[in-house]
Amino acid sequence: MATGRTHRPATRSRGIPEATVARLPLYLRALTGLSERSVPTVSSEELAAAAGVNSAKLRKDFSYLGSYGTRGVGYDVEYLVYQISRELGLTQDWPVVIVGIGNLGAALANYGGFASRGFRVAALIDADPAMAGKPVAGMPVQHTDDLEKIIDDNGVSIGVIATPAGAAQQVCDRLVAAGVTSILNFAPTVLSVPDGVDVRKVDLSIELQILAFHEQRKAGEESAAEAAAAQLPPAARAAGEQADRKGPDGDVPAVMPA
Amino acid sequence: MATGRTHRPATRSRGIPEATVARLPLYLRALTGLSERSVPTVSSEELAAAAGVNSAKLRKDFSYLGSYGTRGVGYDVEYLVYQISRELGLTQDWPVVIVGIGNLGAALANYGGFASRGFRVAALIDADPAMAGKPVAGMPVQHTDDLEKIIDDNGVSIGVIATPAGAAQQVCDRLVAAGVTSILNFAPTVLSVPDGVDVRKVDLSIELQILAFHEQRKAGEESAAEAAAAQLPPAARAAGEQADRKGPDGDVPAVMPA
DNA sequence: GTATGTGAACTATTTCACAGCA
DNA sequence: TGCTGTGAAATAGTTCACATAC
């Protein structure tokens, strides 16, 4: 548990909201596109459209970084690219390791979006001895035994976990012990880490489940009565066993085999 | 804005907060683990720990679904699994198509987390004729030409886009035209869709960039003076052209090759 | 006694709308 | 005139703390 870390008032204007930070990469991507097309300046309206947000939000976000625009004109594309890159820490090179070179790990290793944004894949690590030495994305897979040495030799502070869920915590512990302080976790499990270590998670099936929720609701709007019927009457809950209750569609739960 | 939705307003329980919806899959995953270990009941405290949230939030979240716990006891695991599954729409089967069978698409096709949560990969689709017929995850890849027919034949309403960025909007348009109303987008681009179509995006490099931001801040805490210096003095901004200003580190932007 | 369920307080985020500046 | 930058208002989300029910 993170103790009483309520919020950080900090001394200086160190407070870029988390929601804003999460959008900076979006702006950066949009700006990079404009830059490649040699567009010199862009208005908040145009950039917002390219990034998929509204312009008020974008302007507010930028206001946390400073006043980088020109009233009546807009923003200088190159200048903004640089400012946002700097704010995100992308003007320096971040060596990362990817642990777990299965389908997903290999896909990540091959993913161009990392290298193009200041991230350098320093090593690919897998626990399977059969993988050791095999080239993936033009780079030999290394064995987990050498994890600590690899982290240390390369000064890695960011680790990507793409192992099965069962191995993730153990890998995480070793990464942290070796000095990694930021982890991107693709394994469908909750990682516990000491204070000062950041974890972000990407769970592919969670995103689909959120879509399913909304999809269901869309369908339910056509026949709202059915959805209402699906709500079990409160009285029923008080009765006997609940687990084997029939579903509203006339079928058993039947979810989650593994 | 859900006006005064205090409790279940009979007709439509319209109004589970988005933030709550996004956590339901987390609870479901934790509960599934408990269910497999045959744990009969769980307290909000225990379940919250397993899901990586705090218990007050969990109880509040559940309160939007209904009163599914027992005071002084906790929650019946199987019952909750069922209720959350139903709420998420996972008691029905969702056929999905994956478009773009590169490294990532193949990884997604092989990802067990989909199948185990009520999602069925109905088809793998790729634009490369050389891929057509090749088996991936035990299933032959089909050509984009047949996209509309595949969607229609399988009643697909959820599509996963794992194509390069350049192809994503076109694929998206065809999916939507064919009847897909929910899209999970892995391509690093903003998709525009008509009203009524949901898009969720997963951008692998964005997550890393957010980590880099925090990582940089950690490093900066050790030498806060440097970070402060990096912020251009406000006076300087008022001066002439900005684009060609030297970076604070004494160098030009030089980010984003591609 | 114990743990849920929930108003109320608090914090974060988004949106509005317009003053201020190029 | 046109577009940024930003207080203020509105909305969303989180946490508190305790009445309530088992």
Coordinates of all heavy atoms in Angstrom, one line a residue, chain A residues 12 18 25-26 29 50 65 67 76 79 82 86-89 94 119 181-182 188 196 198 200 203 206-208 210 213-216 218 221 231-232 237 242-243 247-248 256, chain B residues 12 18 26 29 32 67-68 76 79 82-83 86-89 94 116 119 181-182 188 190 196 198 200 203 206-208 210 213-216 218 224 231-232 237 242-243 248:
Chain A
R12 N 7.6 24.3 -6.2 CA 7.3 25.1 -7.4 C 6.1 24.6 -8.2 O 5.4 23.7 -7.7 CB 8.6 25.1 -8.3 CG 8.9 23.9 -9.0 CD 10.4 23.8 -9.4 NE 11.0 22.7 -8.7 CZ 11.6 22.7 -7.6 NH1 11.7 23.9 -6.9 NH2 12.2 21.7 -7.0
E18 N -2.2 14.6 -14.0 CA -2.0 13.3 -14.6 C -2.8 13.2 -15.9 O -2.2 12.7 -16.9 CB -2.5 12.3 -13.6 CG -1.8 11.0 -13.4 CD -0.4 10.9 -14.0 OE1 0.5 11.6 -13.4 OE2 -0.2 10.2 -15.0
P25 N 1.5 12.7 -25.1 CA 1.9 11.9 -26.2 C 1.0 12.0 -27.4 O 1.5 11.9 -28.5 CB 1.9 10.5 -25.6 CG 2.1 10.7 -24.1 CD 1.3 11.9 -23.8
L26 N -0.3 12.2 -27.1 CA -1.2 12.3 -28.2 C -0.9 13.6 -29.0 O -0.9 13.6 -30.3 CB -2.6 12.4 -27.6 CG -3.7 11.4 -27.9 CD1 -3.1 10.0 -27.7 CD2 -4.9 11.6 -27.1
R29 N 2.2 13.1 -31.0 CA 2.0 12.3 -32.2 C 1.4 13.2 -33.4 O 1.9 13.1 -34.5 CB 1.1 11.1 -31.9 CG 1.1 10.1 -33.0 CD 0.4 8.9 -32.5 NE -1.0 9.1 -32.4 CZ -1.9 8.2 -31.8 NH1 -1.4 7.1 -31.2 NH2 -3.1 8.5 -31.8
A50 N -6.7 17.0 -34.7 CA -5.8 16.0 -35.1 C -5.5 15.0 -34.0 O -5.1 13.8 -34.2 CB -4.5 16.6 -35.6
L65 N 2.0 23.8 -19.2 CA 3.5 23.7 -19.6 C 4.1 25.1 -19.7 O 5.3 25.3 -19.5 CB 3.6 23.0 -21.0 CG 2.9 21.7 -21.2 CD1 3.2 21.2 -22.6 CD2 3.3 20.7 -20.2
S67 N 3.4 29.3 -21.7 CA 2.7 30.0 -22.8 C 3.5 29.8 -24.1 O 4.4 30.6 -24.4 CB 2.6 31.4 -22.4 OG 1.7 31.6 -21.3
D76 N 3.7 27.3 -32.9 CA 4.8 26.9 -33.8 C 5.0 25.4 -33.6 O 5.3 24.9 -32.5 CB 6.1 27.7 -33.4 CG 7.2 27.3 -34.3 OD1 7.8 26.2 -34.2 OD2 7.5 28.1 -35.3
Y79 N 8.5 24.1 -32.4 CA 8.8 24.5 -31.0 C 8.0 23.7 -30.0 O 8.5 23.2 -29.0 CB 8.5 26.0 -30.9 CG 8.8 26.6 -29.6 CD1 10.1 26.6 -29.1 CD2 7.8 27.2 -28.8 CE1 10.4 27.2 -27.9 CE2 8.1 27.7 -27.6 CZ 9.4 27.8 -27.1 OH 9.7 28.3 -25.9
Y82 N 9.3 20.2 -29.6 CA 10.4 20.2 -28.7 C 10.0 20.3 -27.2 O 10.5 19.6 -26.3 CB 11.5 21.2 -29.1 CG 12.6 21.3 -28.1 CD1 13.4 20.2 -27.9 CD2 12.7 22.4 -27.2 CE1 14.4 20.3 -26.9 CE2 13.7 22.4 -26.3 CZ 14.6 21.4 -26.1 OH 15.5 21.4 -25.2
R86 N 10.5 17.5 -24.4 CA 11.3 17.7 -23.2 C 10.5 17.5 -21.9 O 11.0 16.8 -21.0 CB 11.8 19.2 -23.2 CG 12.8 19.5 -22.1 CD 13.4 20.9 -22.2 NE 12.3 21.9 -22.3 CZ 11.6 22.3 -21.3 NH1 11.6 21.7 -20.1 NH2 10.7 23.2 -21.5
E87 N 9.3 17.9 -21.9 CA 8.4 17.7 -20.8 C 8.2 16.3 -20.5 O 8.2 15.8 -19.3 CB 7.1 18.4 -21.0 CG 6.3 18.6 -19.8 CD 6.9 19.6 -18.8 OE1 7.2 20.8 -19.2 OE2 7.2 19.2 -17.7
L88 N 8.1 15.5 -21.5 CA 7.9 14.0 -21.4 C 9.2 13.3 -21.1 O 9.2 12.1 -20.8 CB 7.3 13.4 -22.6 CG 5.8 13.7 -22.8 CD1 5.3 13.3 -24.2 CD2 5.0 13.0 -21.7
G89 N 10.3 14.0 -21.2 CA 11.6 13.3 -21.0 C 12.1 12.5 -22.2 O 12.9 11.6 -22.0
W94 N 16.0 6.4 -23.5 CA 15.6 5.5 -22.4 C 15.8 4.1 -22.8 O 15.1 3.5 -23.6 CB 14.1 5.7 -22.0 CG 13.8 7.0 -21.4 CD1 13.2 8.1 -22.1 CD2 14.0 7.5 -20.1 NE1 13.1 9.1 -21.2 CE2 13.6 8.8 -20.0 CE3 14.6 6.9 -18.9 CZ2 13.6 9.5 -18.8 CZ3 14.7 7.6 -17.8 CH2 14.2 8.9 -17.7
F119 N 12.9 5.6 -27.1 CA 13.1 4.4 -26.3 C 14.0 3.5 -27.1 O 13.8 3.3 -28.3 CB 11.8 3.8 -26.0 CG 10.9 4.7 -25.2 CD1 9.9 5.4 -25.8 CD2 11.1 4.8 -23.8 CE1 9.1 6.2 -25.0 CE2 10.3 5.6 -23.0 CZ 9.3 6.4 -23.7
T181 N 12.7 1.3 -12.1 CA 11.8 2.1 -11.3 C 10.5 2.4 -12.0 O 9.6 3.1 -11.5 CB 12.4 3.4 -10.8 OG1 13.1 4.0 -11.9 CG2 13.4 3.1 -9.7
S182 N 10.4 2.0 -13.3 CA 9.2 2.1 -14.0 C 8.9 0.8 -14.8 O 9.8 0.3 -15.4 CB 9.3 3.3 -15.0 OG 9.3 4.5 -14.4
P188 N -1.7 -10.0 -17.2 CA -3.0 -9.7 -16.5 C -3.0 -10.1 -15.0 O -3.7 -11.0 -14.6 CB -4.0 -10.6 -17.3 CG -3.2 -11.8 -17.8 CD -1.8 -11.2 -18.0
G196 N 7.7 4.5 -4.9 CA 8.8 5.1 -5.7 C 8.9 4.4 -7.1 O 9.5 4.8 -8.0
D198 N 6.9 3.1 -10.4 CA 5.7 3.3 -11.1 C 5.3 2.1 -11.9 O 6.2 1.5 -12.5 CB 5.8 4.5 -12.1 CG 5.5 5.8 -11.5 OD1 4.6 5.9 -10.7 OD2 6.3 6.8 -11.8
R200 N 2.5 0.9 -14.9 CA 1.3 1.1 -15.8 C 1.0 -0.2 -16.3 O 1.9 -1.0 -16.6 CB 1.6 2.2 -16.9 CG 1.8 3.6 -16.4 CD 1.8 4.6 -17.5 NE 0.5 4.7 -18.1 CZ -0.5 5.5 -17.6 NH1 -0.3 6.2 -16.5 NH2 -1.7 5.5 -18.2
D203 N -4.0 -4.1 -20.3 CA -4.7 -5.4 -20.3 C -5.6 -5.4 -21.5 O -6.6 -4.7 -21.6 CB -5.4 -5.6 -19.0 CG -5.9 -7.1 -19.0 OD1 -6.5 -7.6 -20.0 OD2 -5.8 -7.7 -17.9
I206 N -9.3 -6.4 -20.9 CA -10.0 -5.4 -20.2 C -10.7 -4.4 -21.2 O -11.8 -4.0 -21.0 CB -9.2 -4.7 -19.1 CG1 -9.0 -5.6 -17.9 CG2 -9.8 -3.3 -18.7 CD1 -8.2 -5.0 -16.8
E207 N -9.9 -4.0 -22.1 CA -10.4 -3.0 -23.1 C -11.6 -3.6 -23.9 O -12.6 -2.9 -24.1 CB -9.3 -2.6 -24.1 CG -8.1 -1.9 -23.5 CD -8.5 -0.6 -22.7 OE1 -9.3 0.1 -23.2 OE2 -7.9 -0.4 -21.7
L208 N -11.5 -4.8 -24.2 CA -12.6 -5.5 -24.9 C -13.8 -5.5 -24.0 O -15.0 -5.4 -24.5 CB -12.2 -6.9 -25.4 CG -11.6 -7.0 -26.8 CD1 -11.6 -8.5 -27.1 CD2 -12.4 -6.3 -27.8
I210 N -14.7 -3.5 -21.7 CA -15.3 -2.2 -21.6 C -16.2 -1.9 -22.8 O -17.3 -1.4 -22.7 CB -14.2 -1.1 -21.4 CG1 -13.5 -1.3 -20.0 CG2 -14.9 0.3 -21.4 CD1 -12.3 -0.5 -19.8
F213 N -19.4 -3.8 -22.6 CA -20.4 -3.2 -21.7 C -21.2 -2.2 -22.5 O -22.4 -2.2 -22.5 CB -19.6 -2.5 -20.6 CG -20.6 -1.6 -19.7 CD1 -21.3 -2.1 -18.7 CD2 -20.7 -0.2 -20.0 CE1 -22.1 -1.4 -17.9 CE2 -21.5 0.6 -19.3 CZ -22.3 0.0 -18.2
H214 N -20.5 -1.3 -23.3 CA -21.2 -0.3 -24.0 C -22.0 -0.9 -25.2 O -23.1 -0.5 -25.5 CB -20.2 0.7 -24.5 CG -19.6 1.5 -23.4 ND1 -20.3 2.4 -22.7 CD2 -18.3 1.6 -23.0 CE1 -19.5 3.0 -21.8 NE2 -18.3 2.5 -21.9
E215 N -21.4 -1.9 -25.7 CA -22.1 -2.6 -26.9 C -23.4 -3.2 -26.4 O -24.5 -3.1 -27.0 CB -21.2 -3.7 -27.4 CG -21.6 -4.3 -28.7 CD -21.6 -3.3 -29.8 OE1 -20.7 -2.4 -29.8 OE2 -22.5 -3.3 -30.7
Q216 N -23.4 -3.8 -25.2 CA -24.6 -4.4 -24.6 C -25.6 -3.3 -24.4 O -26.8 -3.6 -24.6 CB -24.2 -5.1 -23.3 CG -25.4 -5.6 -22.5 CD -25.1 -6.3 -21.3 OE1 -25.4 -7.5 -21.1 NE2 -24.4 -5.6 -20.4
K218 N -26.0 -0.6 -25.9 CA -26.6 -0.1 -27.2 C -27.7 -1.1 -27.6 O -28.8 -0.7 -27.9 CB -25.5 -0.2 -28.3 CG -24.5 1.0 -28.3 CD -23.5 0.8 -29.4 CE -22.2 1.4 -29.1 NZ -21.1 0.9 -29.9
E221 N -30.9 -0.8 -25.6 CA -31.7 0.4 -25.8 C -32.9 0.1 -26.7 O -33.9 0.7 -26.7 CB -30.9 1.6 -26.4 CG -30.8 2.7 -25.5 CD -29.5 3.4 -25.5 OE1 -29.0 3.8 -26.5 OE2 -28.8 3.4 -24.4
Q231 N -32.3 -7.7 -14.3 CA -32.0 -7.3 -12.9 C -32.8 -8.3 -12.0 O -34.0 -8.3 -12.0 CB -32.4 -5.9 -12.6 CG -32.0 -5.3 -11.3 CD -30.5 -4.9 -11.4 OE1 -30.0 -4.7 -12.5 NE2 -29.9 -4.8 -10.2
L232 N -32.1 -9.1 -11.3 CA -32.8 -10.0 -10.4 C -33.5 -9.3 -9.4 O -33.1 -8.3 -8.8 CB -31.7 -10.9 -9.7 CG -31.0 -11.9 -10.6 CD1 -30.0 -12.7 -9.8 CD2 -32.0 -12.9 -11.3
R237 N -32.6 -12.6 -4.1 CA -31.2 -12.8 -3.5 C -31.2 -13.3 -2.1 O -30.3 -14.0 -1.7 CB -30.5 -11.4 -3.5 CG -30.0 -11.0 -4.8 CD -29.1 -9.8 -4.7 NE -29.8 -8.6 -4.4 CZ -29.8 -8.0 -3.3 NH1 -29.2 -8.5 -2.3 NH2 -30.6 -6.9 -3.1
Q242 N -27.0 -18.9 -4.6 CA -27.1 -17.9 -5.6 C -26.3 -18.3 -6.9 O -26.7 -18.0 -8.0 CB -26.5 -16.6 -5.1 CG -27.1 -16.1 -3.8 CD -26.2 -15.2 -3.0 OE1 -25.0 -15.5 -3.0 NE2 -26.7 -14.2 -2.4
A243 N -25.2 -19.0 -6.6 CA -24.3 -19.3 -7.7 C -24.9 -20.0 -8.9 O -24.6 -19.8 -10.0 CB -23.1 -20.1 -7.2
G247 N -29.6 -17.7 -15.4 CA -29.4 -16.3 -15.9 C -30.7 -15.8 -16.5 O -31.6 -16.6 -16.7
P248 N -30.7 -14.5 -16.7 CA -31.9 -13.9 -17.2 C -32.2 -14.4 -18.6 O -33.4 -14.3 -19.0 CB -31.5 -12.4 -17.2 CG -30.0 -12.4 -17.2 CD -29.6 -13.6 -16.5
M256 N -15.9 -17.6 -17.7 CA -14.6 -17.8 -17.1 C -14.2 -19.3 -17.0 O -14.3 -19.9 -15.9 CB -14.5 -17.3 -15.7 CG -15.0 -15.9 -15.5 SD -14.0 -14.7 -16.2 CE -14.9 -14.5 -17.7
Chain B
R12 N -34.4 2.1 -16.6 CA -33.0 1.9 -17.1 C -32.0 2.3 -16.0 O -32.0 3.5 -15.6 CB -32.8 2.7 -18.3 CG -32.5 1.8 -19.5 CD -32.3 2.6 -20.8 NE -33.4 3.6 -20.9 CZ -33.5 4.3 -22.1 NH1 -32.7 4.2 -23.1 NH2 -34.5 5.2 -22.2
E18 N -18.2 5.9 -15.9 CA -17.2 5.3 -16.7 C -16.1 4.7 -15.9 O -15.5 3.6 -16.2 CB -16.7 6.4 -17.7 CG -16.7 6.2 -19.2 CD -17.1 4.8 -19.6 OE1 -18.3 4.6 -19.8 OE2 -16.2 4.0 -19.9
L26 N -11.4 -5.6 -13.7 CA -10.4 -5.8 -12.7 C -10.9 -6.7 -11.5 O -10.3 -7.6 -11.1 CB -9.9 -4.5 -12.1 CG -8.5 -4.1 -12.3 CD1 -8.1 -4.2 -13.7 CD2 -8.3 -2.6 -11.8
R29 N -11.6 -10.2 -12.7 CA -10.4 -11.0 -12.8 C -10.0 -11.5 -11.4 O -9.6 -12.7 -11.2 CB -9.2 -10.1 -13.4 CG -8.0 -10.9 -13.8 CD -7.1 -10.1 -14.6 NE -6.4 -9.1 -13.7 CZ -5.7 -8.1 -14.2 NH1 -5.5 -7.9 -15.5 NH2 -5.1 -7.3 -13.4
T32 N -12.4 -14.1 -10.3 CA -12.2 -15.4 -11.0 C -11.1 -16.2 -10.3 O -11.2 -17.4 -10.1 CB -11.8 -15.1 -12.4 OG1 -12.9 -14.3 -13.0 CG2 -11.6 -16.4 -13.2
S67 N -27.1 -3.9 -4.4 CA -26.6 -4.4 -3.1 C -26.4 -5.9 -3.1 O -27.2 -6.7 -2.8 CB -27.7 -4.0 -2.0 OG -27.8 -2.7 -1.8
Y68 N -25.2 -6.2 -3.5 CA -24.9 -7.6 -3.7 C -24.1 -8.2 -2.6 O -23.7 -9.4 -2.7 CB -24.1 -7.8 -5.1 CG -25.0 -7.5 -6.3 CD1 -24.4 -7.0 -7.4 CD2 -26.4 -7.7 -6.2 CE1 -25.1 -6.8 -8.6 CE2 -27.1 -7.4 -7.3 CZ -26.5 -6.9 -8.5 OH -27.3 -6.6 -9.6
D76 N -20.5 -12.8 -1.8 CA -20.5 -14.2 -2.3 C -19.7 -14.2 -3.7 O -20.2 -13.5 -4.6 CB -21.9 -14.7 -2.5 CG -21.9 -16.2 -3.0 OD1 -21.7 -16.4 -4.2 OD2 -22.1 -17.1 -2.2
Y79 N -21.6 -15.4 -6.9 CA -22.7 -14.5 -7.2 C -22.2 -13.2 -7.9 O -22.7 -12.7 -8.9 CB -23.5 -14.2 -6.0 CG -24.7 -13.4 -6.2 CD1 -25.7 -13.9 -7.0 CD2 -24.9 -12.2 -5.5 CE1 -26.9 -13.1 -7.2 CE2 -26.0 -11.5 -5.7 CZ -27.0 -11.9 -6.5 OH -28.2 -11.2 -6.7
Y82 N -21.0 -13.6 -11.4 CA -22.1 -13.6 -12.3 C -22.6 -12.2 -12.5 O -22.9 -11.8 -13.7 CB -23.2 -14.6 -11.9 CG -24.4 -14.5 -12.7 CD1 -24.3 -14.9 -14.1 CD2 -25.6 -14.0 -12.3 CE1 -25.4 -14.7 -14.9 CE2 -26.7 -13.8 -13.1 CZ -26.6 -14.2 -14.4 OH -27.6 -14.1 -15.2
Q83 N -22.8 -11.5 -11.5 CA -23.4 -10.2 -11.6 C -22.6 -9.2 -12.4 O -23.1 -8.5 -13.3 CB -23.7 -9.6 -10.2 CG -24.9 -10.2 -9.5 CD -26.2 -10.1 -10.2 OE1 -26.4 -9.3 -11.1 NE2 -27.2 -11.0 -9.8
R86 N -22.5 -10.3 -16.0 CA -23.8 -9.9 -16.7 C -23.8 -8.4 -17.0 O -24.1 -7.9 -18.1 CB -25.0 -10.2 -15.8 CG -26.3 -9.9 -16.5 CD -27.5 -10.4 -15.7 NE -27.5 -9.9 -14.4 CZ -27.7 -8.7 -14.0 NH1 -28.0 -7.8 -15.0 NH2 -27.7 -8.3 -12.8
E87 N -23.3 -7.6 -16.0 CA -23.3 -6.2 -16.2 C -22.4 -5.8 -17.3 O -22.7 -4.9 -18.1 CB -22.7 -5.5 -14.9 CG -23.0 -4.1 -14.8 CD -24.5 -3.7 -14.7 OE1 -25.2 -4.2 -13.8 OE2 -25.0 -3.0 -15.6
L88 N -21.3 -6.5 -17.5 CA -20.3 -6.2 -18.6 C -20.8 -6.8 -19.9 O -20.2 -6.5 -20.9 CB -18.9 -6.8 -18.2 CG -18.1 -6.0 -17.2 CD1 -16.9 -6.8 -16.8 CD2 -17.7 -4.6 -17.8
G89 N -21.8 -7.6 -19.9 CA -22.3 -8.2 -21.1 C -21.5 -9.4 -21.5 O -21.5 -9.8 -22.7
W94 N -19.3 -12.8 -27.7 CA -19.1 -11.7 -28.7 C -18.1 -12.1 -29.7 O -16.9 -12.3 -29.4 CB -18.5 -10.5 -27.9 CG -19.4 -9.8 -26.9 CD1 -19.4 -10.0 -25.6 CD2 -20.5 -8.9 -27.2 NE1 -20.4 -9.2 -25.0 CE2 -21.1 -8.6 -26.0 CE3 -21.0 -8.4 -28.4 CZ2 -22.2 -7.7 -25.9 CZ3 -22.1 -7.6 -28.3 CH2 -22.7 -7.2 -27.1
S116 N -11.2 -16.5 -23.1 CA -11.6 -16.9 -21.7 C -12.6 -15.9 -21.1 O -13.1 -16.1 -20.0 CB -10.4 -17.0 -20.8 OG -9.9 -15.7 -20.5
F119 N -15.2 -13.7 -25.4 CA -15.0 -13.2 -26.7 C -14.5 -14.3 -27.6 O -13.7 -15.2 -27.2 CB -13.9 -12.1 -26.7 CG -14.4 -10.9 -25.9 CD1 -13.9 -10.7 -24.6 CD2 -15.2 -10.0 -26.4 CE1 -14.3 -9.6 -23.8 CE2 -15.7 -8.9 -25.7 CZ -15.2 -8.7 -24.4
T181 N -19.9 -1.8 -34.4 CA -20.2 -0.6 -33.7 C -19.2 -0.4 -32.5 O -19.4 0.6 -31.7 CB -21.6 -0.6 -33.1 OG1 -21.9 -1.9 -32.6 CG2 -22.6 -0.4 -34.3
S182 N -18.3 -1.3 -32.3 CA -17.2 -1.1 -31.3 C -15.9 -1.4 -31.9 O -15.8 -2.5 -32.5 CB -17.5 -1.9 -30.1 OG -18.6 -1.5 -29.3
P188 N -1.5 3.5 -34.1 CA -1.2 4.8 -33.5 C -1.8 6.0 -34.3 O -1.0 6.8 -34.9 CB 0.3 4.8 -33.4 CG 0.8 4.0 -34.5 CD -0.3 2.9 -34.7
V190 N -5.6 8.6 -34.8 CA -6.9 8.9 -34.3 C -7.9 8.5 -35.4 O -7.8 8.8 -36.5 CB -7.1 10.4 -34.1 CG1 -8.5 10.8 -33.8 CG2 -6.1 10.9 -33.0
G196 N -22.4 6.9 -32.2 CA -23.0 5.6 -31.9 C -21.9 4.5 -32.0 O -22.2 3.3 -31.7
D198 N -18.3 3.2 -30.8 CA -17.3 3.3 -29.7 C -16.0 3.0 -30.2 O -15.8 1.9 -30.8 CB -17.7 2.4 -28.5 CG -18.6 3.1 -27.5 OD1 -18.5 4.3 -27.3 OD2 -19.5 2.4 -27.0
R200 N -12.1 2.4 -28.5 CA -11.1 2.5 -27.5 C -9.7 2.3 -28.1 O -9.6 1.5 -29.1 CB -11.3 1.4 -26.4 CG -12.6 1.7 -25.6 CD -12.7 0.8 -24.4 NE -11.6 1.2 -23.4 CZ -11.8 2.1 -22.5 NH1 -12.9 2.8 -22.4 NH2 -10.8 2.4 -21.6
D203 N -2.3 2.4 -27.1 CA -1.1 2.8 -27.8 C 0.1 2.5 -26.9 O 0.3 3.1 -25.9 CB -1.1 4.3 -28.1 CG 0.0 4.7 -29.0 OD1 1.2 4.2 -28.8 OD2 -0.2 5.4 -30.0
I206 N 2.6 5.2 -26.1 CA 2.0 6.3 -25.2 C 2.2 5.9 -23.7 O 2.7 6.7 -22.9 CB 0.5 6.6 -25.5 CG1 0.4 7.4 -26.7 CG2 -0.1 7.2 -24.3 CD1 -1.0 7.8 -27.1
E207 N 2.0 4.7 -23.4 CA 2.2 4.2 -22.0 C 3.7 4.4 -21.6 O 3.9 4.8 -20.5 CB 1.8 2.7 -21.9 CG 0.3 2.5 -22.2 CD -0.6 3.3 -21.3 OE1 -0.3 3.4 -20.1 OE2 -1.6 3.7 -21.8
L208 N 4.6 4.1 -22.5 CA 6.0 4.2 -22.2 C 6.3 5.7 -22.0 O 7.1 6.1 -21.1 CB 6.9 3.7 -23.3 CG 7.3 2.2 -23.2 CD1 8.3 1.9 -24.2 CD2 7.8 1.8 -21.8
I210 N 4.4 8.0 -20.9 CA 3.9 8.5 -19.6 C 4.9 8.0 -18.5 O 5.2 8.8 -17.6 CB 2.5 7.9 -19.3 CG1 1.5 8.5 -20.4 CG2 2.0 8.3 -17.9 CD1 0.1 7.9 -20.4
F213 N 7.9 10.3 -18.4 CA 7.6 11.5 -17.8 C 7.9 11.4 -16.3 O 8.6 12.2 -15.7 CB 6.2 12.0 -18.0 CG 5.8 13.2 -17.2 CD1 6.0 14.5 -17.6 CD2 5.1 13.0 -16.0 CE1 5.6 15.6 -16.9 CE2 4.7 14.1 -15.2 CZ 5.0 15.4 -15.7
H214 N 7.3 10.4 -15.7 CA 7.5 10.2 -14.2 C 8.9 9.9 -13.9 O 9.4 10.3 -12.8 CB 6.5 9.2 -13.7 CG 5.1 9.6 -13.8 ND1 4.6 10.7 -13.1 CD2 4.0 9.2 -14.6 CE1 3.3 10.8 -13.4 NE2 2.9 9.9 -14.3
E215 N 9.5 9.1 -14.7 CA 10.9 8.6 -14.5 C 11.8 9.9 -14.5 O 12.6 10.0 -13.6 CB 11.3 7.7 -15.6 CG 12.6 6.9 -15.4 CD 12.4 6.0 -14.1 OE1 11.3 5.4 -13.9 OE2 13.4 5.9 -13.4
Q216 N 11.6 10.7 -15.4 CA 12.3 11.9 -15.5 C 12.2 12.8 -14.3 O 13.1 13.4 -13.7 CB 11.9 12.8 -16.7 CG 12.6 14.1 -16.9 CD 12.1 14.9 -18.0 OE1 10.9 15.1 -18.2 NE2 12.9 15.4 -18.9
K218 N 11.4 11.7 -11.3 CA 12.2 11.1 -10.2 C 13.6 11.5 -10.3 O 14.2 11.9 -9.2 CB 12.1 9.6 -10.4 CG 10.8 8.9 -10.0 CD 10.9 7.4 -10.2 CE 9.5 6.9 -10.5 NZ 9.6 5.5 -11.1
A224 N 17.1 19.0 -8.5 CA 15.9 19.8 -8.9 C 16.3 21.1 -9.6 O 15.6 21.6 -10.4 CB 15.1 20.2 -7.7
Q231 N 13.4 24.9 -17.7 CA 12.2 25.8 -18.0 C 12.7 27.1 -18.5 O 13.4 27.8 -17.8 CB 11.4 26.0 -16.7 CG 10.0 26.6 -16.9 CD 9.1 25.6 -17.5 OE1 9.3 24.4 -17.4 NE2 8.0 26.1 -18.1
L232 N 12.4 27.4 -19.7 CA 12.8 28.7 -20.2 C 12.3 29.9 -19.4 O 11.2 29.9 -19.0 CB 12.3 28.9 -21.7 CG 13.0 28.0 -22.7 CD1 12.4 28.2 -24.1 CD2 14.5 28.2 -22.8
R237 N 10.6 34.1 -23.5 CA 9.5 33.8 -24.4 C 8.9 35.0 -25.1 O 8.5 34.9 -26.3 CB 8.4 33.0 -23.7 CG 8.8 31.6 -23.4 CD 7.6 30.8 -22.9 NE 7.3 31.2 -21.5 CZ 6.3 32.0 -21.2 NH1 5.5 32.6 -22.0 NH2 6.1 32.3 -19.9
Q242 N 10.3 31.9 -31.9 CA 10.5 30.8 -30.9 C 11.1 29.6 -31.5 O 11.8 28.9 -30.8 CB 9.1 30.5 -30.3 CG 8.5 31.7 -29.7 CD 7.0 31.4 -29.6 OE1 6.4 30.8 -30.5 NE2 6.3 31.9 -28.6
A243 N 10.7 29.3 -32.7 CA 11.0 28.0 -33.3 C 12.5 27.7 -33.3 O 12.9 26.6 -33.1 CB 10.5 27.9 -34.7
P248 N 17.2 24.3 -23.9 CA 17.8 24.6 -22.6 C 19.1 23.9 -22.4 O 20.0 24.3 -21.7 CB 16.8 24.2 -21.6 CG 15.9 23.2 -22.3 CD 15.9 23.6 -23.7

